[in-house]
Amino acid sequence: MKIALACPASLPATQFGGIMFLSLDIAKESAKLDHDVTIFTTDMDFANNAKTFNNDLPRQETIENFSINRSHTWFSIHLFFVNPAMYKQMKDGEFDIIHTIGIRSFQSLIAAMIARRKNIPLVISDQGGLTTHPDLTSSLTKKFLVALQKPFIKYVINSATKIIVPNDYEKKIFLEFCDESKIKVVQNGINLDILTSKSLNFKKKYDINSDFILFLGRFSKIKGLDILLESINILKDKIDTSKIQFIIMGVDFGFESEMLNMITKFKLENMIKVIKNPPREDVIQAYRESKFLVYPSRWELSPLTPLEGFAFKKTTISTTAHGIPHTISDNQNCILVEPDNPNLLSESILELINDEKKCERLGISGYQTVLKTCNSENMVKNILTIYEQLIKEKSKSGIM
């Protein structure tokens, strides 16, 4: 098959997170099976933010047998990146199917226009909380942008042949826009190639002299970093800081300054090390060397970070917010607490510090989860089955 993927960001912008890795994994696994895959995207660069674009990045690049076609971003409004040249790139290409990821994007609008123009089946995935993400109503500017996007979103959804969601939580969101027959659940998975990635001495590189608990994610209030800092403040007289500390790794999405001020205010400098804009290999090694992860998010749709931790047999303490319980299971492979509760979070952290057997049991169970089901190979196999079915249906209808 000739597959076109559309996404707001791709390599080298690993800081963009979830949907970038989803498109990347679809491309990698599909290319392994000899499919012809091209990602159409912007020229977002690797940086400590989501607004650095680099016109010097190659317009076309081949990586692991798939292609990335970049076009320059003229301007951006929050996470809406406008790269008009992508239209011509896609118009000039020949594809059997188009799959766009991140519906509130300029790239999805272009993908829908091309799919209609060429009569190509269009698959859409959002993974961004189409109506439930708290950031949608966080300011007047964003509320205005959301209002402007409504006709575009309706156009993209109406253009879609099939909508792929990772769980029933997102399925319920899309039922407000379309019939259930248009929606297919395909569970998200992580790429297990990380298990064979090159090792490095993470503790030596970052001058860490004790075991550590890991937070990995965007420096954003939505990720619950304020709650994590409050919980660490509760714990500062209850744990031996010479034996355990907290590593906070990620990129700034608007909360970095406040986070650093809170660390100073609570006098937590001896308990916390902040690592900004870490390269991917350092992230993977942090998983490998951590005791467990803590991920106190106020909103997630289908988080990949806990699954990546599972790959290294490391459990996660997270919350019961939104799509999280649809991805990881309380007391089976993780501990889930109610969001916005630093007392419960601190109690759970202390529990795993003191109960190494439970920590190990949950981590091993998580490893089995990603080994058996939540991996990119299984995910892409199911997605390719959907592609093939849609192409076959188009062929039978005589449209193609």
Side-chain angles (χ1 to χ4, degrees), residues 162-177:
K162 189 67 69 176
I163 300 169
I164 294 179
V165 298
N167 52 43
D168 287 335
Y169 172 77
E170 191 177 36
K171 180 179 179 179
K172 187 176 179 181
I173 293 172
F174 274 102
L175 286 174
E176 300 174 22
F177 297 90

Side-chain angles (χ1 to χ4, degrees), residues 341-359:
N341 193 324
N343 289 308
L344 281 179
L345 183 60
S346 63
E347 288 171 11
S348 296
I349 291 171
L350 195 59
E351 179 185 0
L352 287 191
I353 290 174
N354 293 330
D355 192 343
E356 291 191 7
K357 287 186 177 179
K358 180 172 184 178
C359 189

Side-chain angles (χ1 to χ4, degrees), residues 160-196:
T161 318
K162 189 67 69 176
I163 300 169
I164 294 179
V165 298
N167 52 43
D168 287 335
Y169 172 77
E170 191 177 36
K171 180 179 179 179
K172 187 176 179 181
I173 293 172
F174 274 102
L175 286 174
E176 300 174 22
F177 297 90
C178 65
D179 187 77
E180 186 175 3
S181 62
K182 202 171 189 176
I183 306 169
K184 186 73 174 177
V185 177
V186 176
Q187 198 167 12
N188 277 348
I190 54 109
N191 194 317
L192 293 178
D193 288 349
I194 60 175
L195 291 172
T196 57

Side-chain angles (χ1 to χ4, degrees), residues 151-394:
F152 299 152
I153 290 169
K154 186 177 179 181
Y155 176 82
V156 172
I157 292 174
N158 289 342
S159 300
T161 318
K162 189 67 69 176
I163 300 169
I164 294 179
V165 298
N167 52 43
D168 287 335
Y169 172 77
E170 191 177 36
K171 180 179 179 179
K172 187 176 179 181
I173 293 172
F174 274 102
L175 286 174
E176 300 174 22
F177 297 90
C178 65
D179 187 77
E180 186 175 3
S181 62
K182 202 171 189 176
I183 306 169
K184 186 73 174 177
V185 177
V186 176
Q187 198 167 12
N188 277 348
I190 54 109
N191 194 317
L192 293 178
D193 288 349
I194 60 175
L195 291 172
T196 57
S197 62
K198 185 180 178 181
S199 294
L200 58 93
N201 193 328
F202 180 81
K203 288 183 179 180
K204 183 178 180 180
K205 179 174 180 177
Y206 291 102
D207 193 26
I208 299 166
N209 300 309
S210 65
D211 290 334
F212 63 87
I213 297 161
L214 176 66
F215 169 90
L216 173 71
R218 297 171 174 176
F219 298 160
S220 164
K221 201 166 185 177
I222 291 168
K223 296 295 183 183
L225 270 170
D226 55 326
I227 301 301
L228 175 59
L229 296 178
E230 288 178 30
S231 71
I232 296 173
N233 189 45
I234 293 169
L235 290 168
K236 66 183 177 184
D237 297 322
K238 298 179 181 180
I239 61 176
D240 186 346
T241 56
S242 67
K243 293 182 179 178
I244 192 85
Q245 61 178 296
F246 294 82
I247 304 298
I248 295 177
M249 297 181 80
V251 294
D252 186 26
F253 269 66
F255 190 68
E256 183 178 310
S257 294
E258 188 173 343
M259 174 185 72
L260 296 174
N261 287 338
M262 287 184 71
I263 291 171
T264 302
K265 175 186 173 184
F266 291 147
K267 299 179 181 178
L268 301 176
E269 292 92 342
N270 67 322
M271 296 181 69
I272 297 172
K273 181 178 286 290
V274 176
I275 300 173
K276 305 174 188 178
N277 199 27
R280 179 65 173 162
E281 57 268 24
D282 290 12
V283 168
I284 293 170
Q285 192 63 27
Y287 287 135
R288 189 178 275 124
E289 296 186 29
S290 66
K291 294 294 287 183
F292 58 87
L293 278 64
V294 60
Y295 201 67
S297 190
R298 292 181 167 92
W299 183 94
E300 296 289 336
L301 190 129
S302 179
L304 297 179
T305 298
L307 299 182
E308 290 195 327
F310 288 170
F312 296 97
K313 301 180 182 176
K314 306 302 167 76
T315 189
T316 293
I317 300 172
S318 190
T319 73
T320 55
H322 298 272
I324 296 172
H326 293 267
T327 308
I328 55 179
S329 303
D330 186 36
N331 265 329
Q332 292 183 32
N333 50 36
C334 68
I335 293 176
L336 299 181
V337 300
E338 66 181 37
D340 291 302
N341 193 324
N343 289 308
L344 281 179
L345 183 60
S346 63
E347 288 171 11
S348 296
I349 291 171
L350 195 59
E351 179 185 0
L352 287 191
I353 290 174
N354 293 330
D355 192 343
E356 291 191 7
K357 287 186 177 179
K358 180 172 184 178
C359 189
E360 183 180 352
R361 174 178 62 80
L362 293 174
I364 291 171
S365 177
Y367 175 70
Q368 293 299 325
T369 298
V370 296
L371 204 63
K372 293 176 181 176
T373 55
C374 294
N375 59 74
S376 59
E377 187 176 340
N378 283 344
M379 176 186 73
V380 174
K381 189 183 297 181
N382 292 328
I383 290 173
L384 289 174
T385 299
I386 294 171
Y387 291 173
E388 289 164 356
Q389 182 182 353
L390 295 178
I391 292 168
K392 187 177 179 180
E393 288 172 0
K394 276 286 186 181

